[in-house]
Amino acid sequence: MPTKQLKPIRTLSKSRGVFEELRQAICSGDLAPGTPLREAHIAKQLNVSQVPVREALLQLEHLGLVVRVQDRGTTVTKLTRREIQQMMEVRRYLELMAFHLAAKHLTDDVVLELKRHLRRMQEMVADGDHFAVAEEDFAFHRTVWRASGNEVLEQTLERLCVAVYAFVSLKRAAAGETLKSAVKSHRKLLEDLLSRDEKRITAAVNEHISSITIPDTVAD
């Protein structure tokens, strides 16, 4: 079990509180990939019944952050290199669709939100905070997905990418990888999105996805 002591939940929505606490612990690495998650133990730490814990684990499973195997329990998702590569292949096509659709529905509010995430990403890169950079990176893309106007596409990309973002950012942090290219890559994405030029958008998305490296520490 994790060494980190989870904080008791005192909110009205206990399942949501449990979900947020566990999601944060997984994405920050406090709950490492492969860690078993036992309902009774978590419920005791968070001072809740097992019902909201069970509900939270179901939500995390839906997002791909945990894996539940019958008769073996639930563990934090641990991805292989092959699994990440396959996810990235699918993501490339879905991201292209999302960016092209978003270009047709851009509003001032969407542009401001994208610029805000880019600015925050730059601040977090300066601090060397891999987790926060990954959060802003994900939020940037999520904004584009939402702007596409296609809810099925948005939900599919969310489900596909969230576990990869969490897992890869942890591996990068452990390897001490640089974050300097993150802002430059997303700045170009934004510039080409704002151009509304289909060829530029296609090239930018392909270049961005191709530039995402899988850390050497990820097993085959």
Side-chain angles (χ1 to χ4, degrees), residues 178-196:
T178 180
L179 297 170
K180 292 181 180 179
S181 63
V183 176
K184 182 179 178 181
S185 177
H186 286 83
R187 183 178 290 120
K188 180 166 174 47
L189 274 177
L190 179 56
E191 290 173 354
D192 291 327
L193 177 64
L194 293 176
S195 76
R196 294 179 171 83

Side-chain angles (χ1 to χ4, degrees), residues 6-186:
L6 301 176
K7 299 176 183 178
I9 300 299
R10 296 185 175 87
T11 60
L12 293 176
S13 178
K14 289 188 177 181
S15 63
R16 184 65 188 179
V18 173
F19 168 82
E20 290 294 347
E21 179 71 15
L22 292 176
R23 185 190 70 84
Q24 179 80 7
I26 291 170
C27 291
S28 65
D30 289 324
L31 288 172
T35 300
L37 301 173
R38 299 185 178 88
E39 290 182 11
H41 182 84
I42 294 171
K44 183 177 180 180
Q45 277 195 298
L46 299 180
N47 193 29
V48 297
S49 71
Q50 291 190 42
V51 174
V53 175
R54 192 172 302 122
E55 292 174 349
L57 290 177
L58 286 173
Q59 294 177 65
L60 291 166
E61 182 184 13
H62 177 70
L63 289 176
L65 287 174
V66 305
V67 177
R68 181 174 52 174
V69 179
Q70 189 172 3
D71 299 325
R72 293 178 59 185
T74 302
T75 60
V76 177
T77 297
K78 186 175 183 178
L79 299 173
T80 65
R81 179 174 298 275
R82 178 177 174 79
E83 287 171 332
I84 294 175
Q85 288 172 335
Q86 290 177 344
M87 288 176 173
M88 296 305 291
E89 288 174 3
V90 176
R91 178 189 172 185
R92 180 189 301 273
Y93 292 101
L94 296 181
E95 284 270 21
L96 281 168
M97 181 179 178
F99 270 77
H100 282 296
L101 287 174
K104 299 176 182 178
H105 301 103
L106 283 178
T107 64
D108 290 342
D109 286 342
V110 170
V111 174
L112 285 174
E113 186 174 353
L114 289 170
K115 289 181 177 179
R116 183 167 60 251
H117 290 309
L118 190 60
R119 185 172 60 253
R120 285 281 298 158
M121 193 184 304
Q122 189 167 3
E123 293 170 357
M124 296 304 103
V125 166
D127 291 340
D129 191 333
H130 284 76
F131 170 57
V133 171
E135 286 272 280
E136 292 301 326
D137 181 342
F138 192 43
F140 179 98
H141 286 271
R142 183 186 280 141
T143 301
V144 175
W145 304 342
R146 188 169 61 250
S148 74
N150 187 316
E151 293 182 4
V152 173
L153 178 61
E154 178 187 354
Q155 292 166 6
T156 303
L157 277 162
E158 175 101 13
R159 173 67 176 82
L160 179 70
C161 295
V162 66
V164 174
Y165 267 98
F167 187 72
V168 172
S169 65
L170 290 175
K171 291 296 183 178
R172 285 175 176 166
E177 289 190 15
T178 180
L179 297 170
K180 292 181 180 179
S181 63
V183 176
K184 182 179 178 181
S185 177
H186 286 83

